[in-house]
Amino acid sequence: MTRLVSIPLFAAAAVFSCEVLGHAHSGPPYPIVSNRIAGAYSISIWSDPDTTDDGRPAGQFWVMLAAADTAKAIPRRTQASVAIHPLDRQGLTHTGQAKPVNGAVTNQFVALLMDHEGPFGVRVAVDGPLGHVEVESQVNATYDLRPAPGLIALYLFPFLAVGALWVKVLLRRRRPGAPPR
């Protein structure tokens, strides 16, 4: 019976101790700029503005580009850069060069450090054969509210324990020759 209880506990510990599974997703991104025409470009910016205390760049930005003239295509040499700066206090400006997602120049991604909660100004600069443009917006950075993997395991433990006791009772009832109660 100890083996029956230890298997679910071991499985839960293995799942929740895995760093990759514990931090796989922090919430859906949302648009901060939608189809804004700037020069020869139509620009959309999506963001997942998570802030961290450990120095990880968790502020995620996706820049989607299209030609304002739908008959044209975005040239391969087109690059986007994203710069953020705090609006509520003095702070550093963090800048990053967006990289194409799966080789598509029309969808570019960069992650930047957002070191505190609050409003951040966002400036996206697009430079390429169709010209240079800049688009500005702002986001509110928040901490990721998902509990740490260790806390999830702690919260899950009472349910696993009750489930193990329930299985133990079911197995005891099925055993032939067990004394009736």
Side-chain angles (χ1 to χ4, degrees), residues 33-45 64-69 74 78 124-128 130-136:
V33 172
S34 294
N35 301 321
R36 185 175 300 169
I37 302 296
Y41 302 99
S42 173
I43 301 172
S44 295
I45 306 167
M64 276 72 76
L65 302 171
D69 177 3
I74 298 294
T78 304
V124 173
V126 178
D127 196 17
L130 298 180
H132 177 82
V133 297
E134 291 188 6
V135 174
E136 293 189 6

PDB file of all heavy atoms in Angstrom, residues 33-45 64-69 74 78 124-128 130-136:
ATOM      1  N   VAL A  33      -0.771  48.023 -30.008  1.00  0.00           N
ATOM      2  CA  VAL A  33      -0.937  48.813 -31.227  1.00  0.00           C
ATOM      3  C   VAL A  33      -1.515  47.871 -32.269  1.00  0.00           C
ATOM      4  O   VAL A  33      -1.016  46.766 -32.444  1.00  0.00           O
ATOM      5  CB  VAL A  33       0.402  49.395 -31.737  1.00  0.00           C
ATOM      6  CG1 VAL A  33       0.225  50.047 -33.100  1.00  0.00           C
ATOM      7  CG2 VAL A  33       0.991  50.368 -30.745  1.00  0.00           C
ATOM      8  N   SER A  34      -2.564  48.305 -32.955  1.00  0.00           N
ATOM      9  CA  SER A  34      -3.198  47.448 -33.963  1.00  0.00           C
ATOM     10  C   SER A  34      -3.256  48.155 -35.315  1.00  0.00           C
ATOM     11  O   SER A  34      -3.906  49.190 -35.449  1.00  0.00           O
ATOM     12  CB  SER A  34      -4.619  47.065 -33.547  1.00  0.00           C
ATOM     13  OG  SER A  34      -4.588  46.251 -32.410  1.00  0.00           O
ATOM     14  N   ASN A  35      -2.560  47.584 -36.281  1.00  0.00           N
ATOM     15  CA  ASN A  35      -2.617  48.028 -37.682  1.00  0.00           C
ATOM     16  C   ASN A  35      -2.428  49.534 -37.847  1.00  0.00           C
ATOM     17  O   ASN A  35      -3.152  50.178 -38.604  1.00  0.00           O
ATOM     18  CB  ASN A  35      -3.934  47.580 -38.326  1.00  0.00           C
ATOM     19  CG  ASN A  35      -4.096  46.078 -38.279  1.00  0.00           C
ATOM     20  OD1 ASN A  35      -3.132  45.346 -38.462  1.00  0.00           O
ATOM     21  ND2 ASN A  35      -5.306  45.625 -38.011  1.00  0.00           N
ATOM     22  N   ARG A  36      -1.469  50.096 -37.138  1.00  0.00           N
ATOM     23  CA  ARG A  36      -1.189  51.531 -37.267  1.00  0.00           C
ATOM     24  C   ARG A  36      -0.337  51.752 -38.525  1.00  0.00           C
ATOM     25  O   ARG A  36       0.708  51.133 -38.692  1.00  0.00           O
ATOM     26  CB  ARG A  36      -0.466  52.060 -36.042  1.00  0.00           C
ATOM     27  CG  ARG A  36      -0.286  53.580 -36.121  1.00  0.00           C
ATOM     28  CD  ARG A  36       0.309  54.172 -34.887  1.00  0.00           C
ATOM     29  NE  ARG A  36      -0.542  53.913 -33.728  1.00  0.00           N
ATOM     30  CZ  ARG A  36      -0.147  54.132 -32.479  1.00  0.00           C
ATOM     31  NH1 ARG A  36       1.065  54.584 -32.224  1.00  0.00           N
ATOM     32  NH2 ARG A  36      -0.961  53.885 -31.475  1.00  0.00           N
ATOM     33  N   ILE A  37      -0.785  52.633 -39.384  1.00  0.00           N
ATOM     34  CA  ILE A  37      -0.051  52.960 -40.598  1.00  0.00           C
ATOM     35  C   ILE A  37       1.008  54.000 -40.240  1.00  0.00           C
ATOM     36  O   ILE A  37       0.704  55.067 -39.698  1.00  0.00           O
ATOM     37  CB  ILE A  37      -0.984  53.526 -41.695  1.00  0.00           C
ATOM     38  CG1 ILE A  37      -2.096  52.528 -42.016  1.00  0.00           C
ATOM     39  CG2 ILE A  37      -0.190  53.888 -42.947  1.00  0.00           C
ATOM     40  CD1 ILE A  37      -1.641  51.219 -42.613  1.00  0.00           C
ATOM     41  N   ALA A  38       2.259  53.657 -40.518  1.00  0.00           N
ATOM     42  CA  ALA A  38       3.386  54.565 -40.300  1.00  0.00           C
ATOM     43  C   ALA A  38       4.290  54.450 -41.516  1.00  0.00           C
ATOM     44  O   ALA A  38       4.890  53.392 -41.747  1.00  0.00           O
ATOM     45  CB  ALA A  38       4.130  54.204 -39.022  1.00  0.00           C
ATOM     46  N   GLY A  39       4.360  55.494 -42.300  1.00  0.00           N
ATOM     47  CA  GLY A  39       5.155  55.437 -43.524  1.00  0.00           C
ATOM     48  C   GLY A  39       4.606  54.367 -44.450  1.00  0.00           C
ATOM     49  O   GLY A  39       3.403  54.324 -44.724  1.00  0.00           O
ATOM     50  N   ALA A  40       5.477  53.495 -44.911  1.00  0.00           N
ATOM     51  CA  ALA A  40       5.081  52.428 -45.840  1.00  0.00           C
ATOM     52  C   ALA A  40       4.652  51.152 -45.110  1.00  0.00           C
ATOM     53  O   ALA A  40       4.411  50.131 -45.745  1.00  0.00           O
ATOM     54  CB  ALA A  40       6.236  52.120 -46.789  1.00  0.00           C
ATOM     55  N   TYR A  41       4.550  51.212 -43.783  1.00  0.00           N
ATOM     56  CA  TYR A  41       4.275  50.014 -42.994  1.00  0.00           C
ATOM     57  C   TYR A  41       2.922  50.095 -42.279  1.00  0.00           C
ATOM     58  O   TYR A  41       2.477  51.163 -41.883  1.00  0.00           O
ATOM     59  CB  TYR A  41       5.354  49.810 -41.922  1.00  0.00           C
ATOM     60  CG  TYR A  41       6.752  49.697 -42.467  1.00  0.00           C
ATOM     61  CD1 TYR A  41       7.610  50.790 -42.467  1.00  0.00           C
ATOM     62  CD2 TYR A  41       7.218  48.493 -42.977  1.00  0.00           C
ATOM     63  CE1 TYR A  41       8.892  50.696 -42.959  1.00  0.00           C
ATOM     64  CE2 TYR A  41       8.512  48.382 -43.469  1.00  0.00           C
ATOM     65  CZ  TYR A  41       9.342  49.485 -43.459  1.00  0.00           C
ATOM     66  OH  TYR A  41      10.616  49.378 -43.951  1.00  0.00           O
ATOM     67  N   SER A  42       2.334  48.940 -42.076  1.00  0.00           N
ATOM     68  CA  SER A  42       1.214  48.763 -41.158  1.00  0.00           C
ATOM     69  C   SER A  42       1.780  47.950 -39.999  1.00  0.00           C
ATOM     70  O   SER A  42       2.234  46.814 -40.194  1.00  0.00           O
ATOM     71  CB  SER A  42       0.058  48.026 -41.838  1.00  0.00           C
ATOM     72  OG  SER A  42      -0.934  47.723 -40.888  1.00  0.00           O
ATOM     73  N   ILE A  43       1.760  48.518 -38.801  1.00  0.00           N
ATOM     74  CA  ILE A  43       2.451  47.913 -37.659  1.00  0.00           C
ATOM     75  C   ILE A  43       1.455  47.542 -36.571  1.00  0.00           C
ATOM     76  O   ILE A  43       0.602  48.346 -36.206  1.00  0.00           O
ATOM     77  CB  ILE A  43       3.499  48.891 -37.090  1.00  0.00           C
ATOM     78  CG1 ILE A  43       4.513  49.252 -38.173  1.00  0.00           C
ATOM     79  CG2 ILE A  43       4.188  48.303 -35.872  1.00  0.00           C
ATOM     80  CD1 ILE A  43       5.475  50.347 -37.760  1.00  0.00           C
ATOM     81  N   SER A  44       1.604  46.321 -36.072  1.00  0.00           N
ATOM     82  CA  SER A  44       0.874  45.868 -34.891  1.00  0.00           C
ATOM     83  C   SER A  44       1.900  45.412 -33.871  1.00  0.00           C
ATOM     84  O   SER A  44       2.897  44.782 -34.229  1.00  0.00           O
ATOM     85  CB  SER A  44      -0.070  44.714 -35.223  1.00  0.00           C
ATOM     86  OG  SER A  44      -1.080  45.134 -36.106  1.00  0.00           O
ATOM     87  N   ILE A  45       1.654  45.725 -32.602  1.00  0.00           N
ATOM     88  CA  ILE A  45       2.558  45.315 -31.522  1.00  0.00           C
ATOM     89  C   ILE A  45       1.730  44.579 -30.482  1.00  0.00           C
ATOM     90  O   ILE A  45       0.712  45.096 -30.013  1.00  0.00           O
ATOM     91  CB  ILE A  45       3.249  46.529 -30.868  1.00  0.00           C
ATOM     92  CG1 ILE A  45       3.944  47.393 -31.917  1.00  0.00           C
ATOM     93  CG2 ILE A  45       4.229  46.065 -29.799  1.00  0.00           C
ATOM     94  CD1 ILE A  45       4.358  48.753 -31.390  1.00  0.00           C
ATOM     95  N   MET A  64       4.411  42.854 -35.578  1.00  0.00           N
ATOM     96  CA  MET A  64       3.889  42.313 -36.830  1.00  0.00           C
ATOM     97  C   MET A  64       3.889  43.425 -37.870  1.00  0.00           C
ATOM     98  O   MET A  64       3.342  44.508 -37.626  1.00  0.00           O
ATOM     99  CB  MET A  64       2.465  41.772 -36.660  1.00  0.00           C
ATOM    100  CG  MET A  64       2.392  40.347 -36.133  1.00  0.00           C
ATOM    101  SD  MET A  64       2.819  40.168 -34.417  1.00  0.00           S
ATOM    102  CE  MET A  64       1.411  40.780 -33.610  1.00  0.00           C
ATOM    103  N   LEU A  65       4.507  43.148 -39.002  1.00  0.00           N
ATOM    104  CA  LEU A  65       4.661  44.135 -40.056  1.00  0.00           C
ATOM    105  C   LEU A  65       3.918  43.696 -41.308  1.00  0.00           C
ATOM    106  O   LEU A  65       3.910  42.519 -41.652  1.00  0.00           O
ATOM    107  CB  LEU A  65       6.144  44.318 -40.406  1.00  0.00           C
ATOM    108  CG  LEU A  65       7.058  44.738 -39.268  1.00  0.00           C
ATOM    109  CD1 LEU A  65       8.513  44.670 -39.714  1.00  0.00           C
ATOM    110  CD2 LEU A  65       6.707  46.129 -38.799  1.00  0.00           C
ATOM    111  N   ALA A  66       3.354  44.671 -41.966  1.00  0.00           N
ATOM    112  CA  ALA A  66       2.755  44.467 -43.282  1.00  0.00           C
ATOM    113  C   ALA A  66       2.991  45.756 -44.054  1.00  0.00           C
ATOM    114  O   ALA A  66       3.189  46.824 -43.467  1.00  0.00           O
ATOM    115  CB  ALA A  66       1.260  44.163 -43.170  1.00  0.00           C
ATOM    116  N   ALA A  67       2.983  45.660 -45.369  1.00  0.00           N
ATOM    117  CA  ALA A  67       3.124  46.855 -46.190  1.00  0.00           C
ATOM    118  C   ALA A  67       1.797  47.607 -46.179  1.00  0.00           C
ATOM    119  O   ALA A  67       0.726  46.998 -46.266  1.00  0.00           O
ATOM    120  CB  ALA A  67       3.524  46.481 -47.608  1.00  0.00           C
ATOM    121  N   ALA A  68       1.873  48.924 -46.031  1.00  0.00           N
ATOM    122  CA  ALA A  68       0.645  49.729 -46.070  1.00  0.00           C
ATOM    123  C   ALA A  68      -0.030  49.583 -47.433  1.00  0.00           C
ATOM    124  O   ALA A  68      -1.253  49.555 -47.522  1.00  0.00           O
ATOM    125  CB  ALA A  68       0.960  51.189 -45.776  1.00  0.00           C
ATOM    126  N   ASP A  69       0.778  49.447 -48.472  1.00  0.00           N
ATOM    127  CA  ASP A  69       0.270  49.158 -49.815  1.00  0.00           C
ATOM    128  C   ASP A  69       0.226  47.637 -49.924  1.00  0.00           C
ATOM    129  O   ASP A  69       1.261  46.976 -50.037  1.00  0.00           O
ATOM    130  CB  ASP A  69       1.203  49.756 -50.867  1.00  0.00           C
ATOM    131  CG  ASP A  69       0.765  49.439 -52.287  1.00  0.00           C
ATOM    132  OD1 ASP A  69      -0.295  48.795 -52.467  1.00  0.00           O
ATOM    133  OD2 ASP A  69       1.484  49.844 -53.219  1.00  0.00           O
ATOM    134  N   ILE A  74       6.908  42.919 -47.542  1.00  0.00           N
ATOM    135  CA  ILE A  74       7.947  43.444 -46.653  1.00  0.00           C
ATOM    136  C   ILE A  74       9.282  42.823 -47.076  1.00  0.00           C
ATOM    137  O   ILE A  74       9.413  41.596 -47.092  1.00  0.00           O
ATOM    138  CB  ILE A  74       7.638  43.098 -45.181  1.00  0.00           C
ATOM    139  CG1 ILE A  74       6.333  43.744 -44.739  1.00  0.00           C
ATOM    140  CG2 ILE A  74       8.783  43.519 -44.272  1.00  0.00           C
ATOM    141  CD1 ILE A  74       6.359  45.240 -44.684  1.00  0.00           C
ATOM    142  N   THR A  78      14.223  44.087 -43.583  1.00  0.00           N
ATOM    143  CA  THR A  78      13.498  44.959 -42.658  1.00  0.00           C
ATOM    144  C   THR A  78      13.703  44.457 -41.224  1.00  0.00           C
ATOM    145  O   THR A  78      13.526  43.275 -40.941  1.00  0.00           O
ATOM    146  CB  THR A  78      12.006  44.977 -43.008  1.00  0.00           C
ATOM    147  OG1 THR A  78      11.863  45.375 -44.371  1.00  0.00           O
ATOM    148  CG2 THR A  78      11.243  45.914 -42.109  1.00  0.00           C
ATOM    149  N   VAL A 124       8.824  51.419 -30.869  1.00  0.00           N
ATOM    150  CA  VAL A 124       9.247  50.443 -31.872  1.00  0.00           C
ATOM    151  C   VAL A 124       9.746  51.214 -33.082  1.00  0.00           C
ATOM    152  O   VAL A 124       9.039  52.074 -33.617  1.00  0.00           O
ATOM    153  CB  VAL A 124       8.084  49.506 -32.260  1.00  0.00           C
ATOM    154  CG1 VAL A 124       8.479  48.620 -33.427  1.00  0.00           C
ATOM    155  CG2 VAL A 124       7.674  48.651 -31.078  1.00  0.00           C
ATOM    156  N   ALA A 125      10.967  50.921 -33.478  1.00  0.00           N
ATOM    157  CA  ALA A 125      11.561  51.529 -34.666  1.00  0.00           C
ATOM    158  C   ALA A 125      11.700  50.446 -35.731  1.00  0.00           C
ATOM    159  O   ALA A 125      12.231  49.364 -35.458  1.00  0.00           O
ATOM    160  CB  ALA A 125      12.920  52.130 -34.346  1.00  0.00           C
ATOM    161  N   VAL A 126      11.204  50.724 -36.919  1.00  0.00           N
ATOM    162  CA  VAL A 126      11.302  49.790 -38.044  1.00  0.00           C
ATOM    163  C   VAL A 126      12.182  50.443 -39.090  1.00  0.00           C
ATOM    164  O   VAL A 126      11.958  51.595 -39.478  1.00  0.00           O
ATOM    165  CB  VAL A 126       9.909  49.462 -38.619  1.00  0.00           C
ATOM    166  CG1 VAL A 126      10.032  48.532 -39.814  1.00  0.00           C
ATOM    167  CG2 VAL A 126       9.017  48.849 -37.549  1.00  0.00           C
ATOM    168  N   ASP A 127      13.183  49.699 -39.521  1.00  0.00           N
ATOM    169  CA  ASP A 127      14.114  50.218 -40.516  1.00  0.00           C
ATOM    170  C   ASP A 127      14.283  49.180 -41.617  1.00  0.00           C
ATOM    171  O   ASP A 127      14.499  48.003 -41.331  1.00  0.00           O
ATOM    172  CB  ASP A 127      15.464  50.511 -39.856  1.00  0.00           C
ATOM    173  CG  ASP A 127      16.345  51.399 -40.709  1.00  0.00           C
ATOM    174  OD1 ASP A 127      15.818  52.045 -41.632  1.00  0.00           O
ATOM    175  OD2 ASP A 127      17.561  51.436 -40.445  1.00  0.00           O
ATOM    176  N   GLY A 128      14.149  49.625 -42.857  1.00  0.00           N
ATOM    177  CA  GLY A 128      14.297  48.711 -43.983  1.00  0.00           C
ATOM    178  C   GLY A 128      14.248  49.461 -45.301  1.00  0.00           C
ATOM    179  O   GLY A 128      14.191  50.696 -45.331  1.00  0.00           O
ATOM    180  N   LEU A 130      11.897  50.006 -47.222  1.00  0.00           N
ATOM    181  CA  LEU A 130      10.703  50.838 -47.391  1.00  0.00           C
ATOM    182  C   LEU A 130      10.757  52.108 -46.547  1.00  0.00           C
ATOM    183  O   LEU A 130       9.822  52.900 -46.558  1.00  0.00           O
ATOM    184  CB  LEU A 130       9.436  50.043 -47.043  1.00  0.00           C
ATOM    185  CG  LEU A 130       9.146  48.814 -47.913  1.00  0.00           C
ATOM    186  CD1 LEU A 130       7.869  48.126 -47.463  1.00  0.00           C
ATOM    187  CD2 LEU A 130       9.053  49.215 -49.379  1.00  0.00           C
ATOM    188  N   GLY A 131      11.841  52.291 -45.775  1.00  0.00           N
ATOM    189  CA  GLY A 131      11.997  53.503 -44.982  1.00  0.00           C
ATOM    190  C   GLY A 131      12.144  53.222 -43.494  1.00  0.00           C
ATOM    191  O   GLY A 131      12.118  52.076 -43.039  1.00  0.00           O
ATOM    192  N   HIS A 132      12.314  54.306 -42.737  1.00  0.00           N
ATOM    193  CA  HIS A 132      12.456  54.235 -41.278  1.00  0.00           C
ATOM    194  C   HIS A 132      11.232  54.902 -40.639  1.00  0.00           C
ATOM    195  O   HIS A 132      10.878  56.026 -40.999  1.00  0.00           O
ATOM    196  CB  HIS A 132      13.723  54.961 -40.822  1.00  0.00           C
ATOM    197  CG  HIS A 132      13.884  54.995 -39.340  1.00  0.00           C
ATOM    198  ND1 HIS A 132      14.403  53.938 -38.636  1.00  0.00           N
ATOM    199  CD2 HIS A 132      13.549  55.944 -38.419  1.00  0.00           C
ATOM    200  CE1 HIS A 132      14.401  54.234 -37.342  1.00  0.00           C
ATOM    201  NE2 HIS A 132      13.891  55.452 -37.189  1.00  0.00           N
ATOM    202  N   VAL A 133      10.600  54.200 -39.711  1.00  0.00           N
ATOM    203  CA  VAL A 133       9.451  54.749 -38.976  1.00  0.00           C
ATOM    204  C   VAL A 133       9.571  54.363 -37.509  1.00  0.00           C
ATOM    205  O   VAL A 133      10.263  53.409 -37.157  1.00  0.00           O
ATOM    206  CB  VAL A 133       8.090  54.247 -39.537  1.00  0.00           C
ATOM    207  CG1 VAL A 133       7.890  54.717 -40.959  1.00  0.00           C
ATOM    208  CG2 VAL A 133       7.983  52.748 -39.452  1.00  0.00           C
ATOM    209  N   GLU A 134       8.872  55.112 -36.663  1.00  0.00           N
ATOM    210  CA  GLU A 134       8.798  54.803 -35.233  1.00  0.00           C
ATOM    211  C   GLU A 134       7.348  54.893 -34.786  1.00  0.00           C
ATOM    212  O   GLU A 134       6.596  55.750 -35.252  1.00  0.00           O
ATOM    213  CB  GLU A 134       9.662  55.765 -34.420  1.00  0.00           C
ATOM    214  CG  GLU A 134      11.134  55.571 -34.652  1.00  0.00           C
ATOM    215  CD  GLU A 134      12.002  56.380 -33.710  1.00  0.00           C
ATOM    216  OE1 GLU A 134      11.457  57.025 -32.787  1.00  0.00           O
ATOM    217  OE2 GLU A 134      13.222  56.359 -33.892  1.00  0.00           O
ATOM    218  N   VAL A 135       6.984  53.993 -33.889  1.00  0.00           N
ATOM    219  CA  VAL A 135       5.639  53.947 -33.313  1.00  0.00           C
ATOM    220  C   VAL A 135       5.812  53.892 -31.803  1.00  0.00           C
ATOM    221  O   VAL A 135       6.661  53.157 -31.295  1.00  0.00           O
ATOM    222  CB  VAL A 135       4.857  52.710 -33.816  1.00  0.00           C
ATOM    223  CG1 VAL A 135       3.533  52.584 -33.112  1.00  0.00           C
ATOM    224  CG2 VAL A 135       4.665  52.776 -35.313  1.00  0.00           C
ATOM    225  N   GLU A 136       5.002  54.673 -31.084  1.00  0.00           N
ATOM    226  CA  GLU A 136       5.082  54.683 -29.620  1.00  0.00           C
ATOM    227  C   GLU A 136       3.764  54.242 -29.009  1.00  0.00           C
ATOM    228  O   GLU A 136       2.692  54.469 -29.580  1.00  0.00           O
ATOM    229  CB  GLU A 136       5.458  56.075 -29.125  1.00  0.00           C
ATOM    230  CG  GLU A 136       6.858  56.469 -29.508  1.00  0.00           C
ATOM    231  CD  GLU A 136       7.319  57.747 -28.838  1.00  0.00           C
ATOM    232  OE1 GLU A 136       6.589  58.277 -27.973  1.00  0.00           O
ATOM    233  OE2 GLU A 136       8.419  58.203 -29.162  1.00  0.00           O
TER     234      GLU A 136
END
